[in-house]
Each structure stands twice: as structure tokens, then as C-alpha cells.
Amino acid sequence: MAEYRMSEAQLQDAILELAELRGWLFFHDYDSRRNNPGWPDLFLLHPRTGEIVIAELKAARGRLSGDQKVWIAAFAVAGITVHVWRPIDLTNGQINRALTPGTAPSRTVVTCYPVERYL
């Protein structure tokens, strides 16, 4: 399947399959309509290393909402790893690297939004 045609749901399935193979525990709220808006799609925790990965998933042309940007900025202030992943990140190795236990930089924030803008 070409990455540019992969839906967000297909991306999530691929990530969760990889996460399971690598021993990650994960949470995804399958019905988020009653939650605060903007909470990221995936929360992953590796029980052996203690690594935490937070991921917001987007289709190739998907955009972050204002509420999602606020959550990403709040996680950044807390020093929590945040990823905004798209289908291209499956092929460029970014997701593979992030989900390889023991290789994630500790307390690193990956975001393209200035934190101060949302505080």
C-alpha cells in the first residue's frame, strides 16, 4: 500500500502491530467523543525500559487542531516525548526508531510548535 494512500486508521493498525511485537503496552481511546478535545491518539509505555511515547496520528495531508497543539505544548513543558506521525514515518524509519526499546532519547520533545505560543 502506498504511504500517501494510507488512512489514519491503517497507520494506527501498523503502529500498534509493531508496538505489540516490541513489547509496548498501549492505550487508545476508541470512542473519544466524551473526552477533552485534542488528547493524542496513542499513549505507549514500555514496561522494561519505562519509556513513554505519546503519538498523534495523521493521514498524509491531515492537520493538527488547535486543541491538539495545546496538548502537544503541555506535554512538551512536562518533558514528555511527543510525536506527530504520518504514513511517511513508517517508511523513513522514524516510527521504527521510536518504538525500538532502549533507543529513545530520554525526556526529549519532538514537536514543531513553539511551546510559548500556547501558554
Side-chain angles (χ1 to χ4, degrees):
M1 173 182 341
E3 66 199 29
Y4 61 88
R5 302 190 88 173
M6 180 180 275
S7 70
E8 187 176 314
Q10 291 168 318
L11 175 61
Q12 178 178 295
D13 289 345
I15 291 169
L16 293 181
E17 183 178 327
L18 179 60
E20 283 187 81
L21 288 171
R22 302 252 171 105
W24 290 84
L25 302 173
F26 57 85
F27 173 78
H28 168 72
D29 190 351
Y30 287 93
D31 186 3
S32 61
R33 292 175 293 182
R34 292 186 178 178
N35 294 344
N36 291 334
W39 180 259
D41 292 311
L42 297 175
F43 182 95
L44 300 104
L45 170 67
H46 200 278
R48 183 176 47 82
T49 66
E51 292 168 272
I52 293 174
V53 175
I54 309 291
E56 177 60 40
L57 309 180
K58 293 292 177 193
R61 295 183 182 207
R63 297 179 185 265
L64 291 173
S65 71
D67 291 324
Q68 289 168 330
K69 292 175 185 178
V70 168
W71 275 105
I72 288 170
F75 279 120
V77 169
I80 304 291
T81 300
V82 177
H83 299 274
V84 178
W85 283 334
R86 300 175 186 282
I88 187 71
D89 298 318
L90 278 174
T91 56
N92 70 16
Q94 183 178 344
I95 293 171
N96 185 48
R97 286 187 300 277
L99 296 182
T100 300
T103 62
S106 62
R107 302 191 60 84
T108 298
V109 177
V110 178
T111 183
C112 57
Y113 301 98
V115 172
E116 298 78 20
R117 180 176 172 187
Y118 303 103
L119 301 178

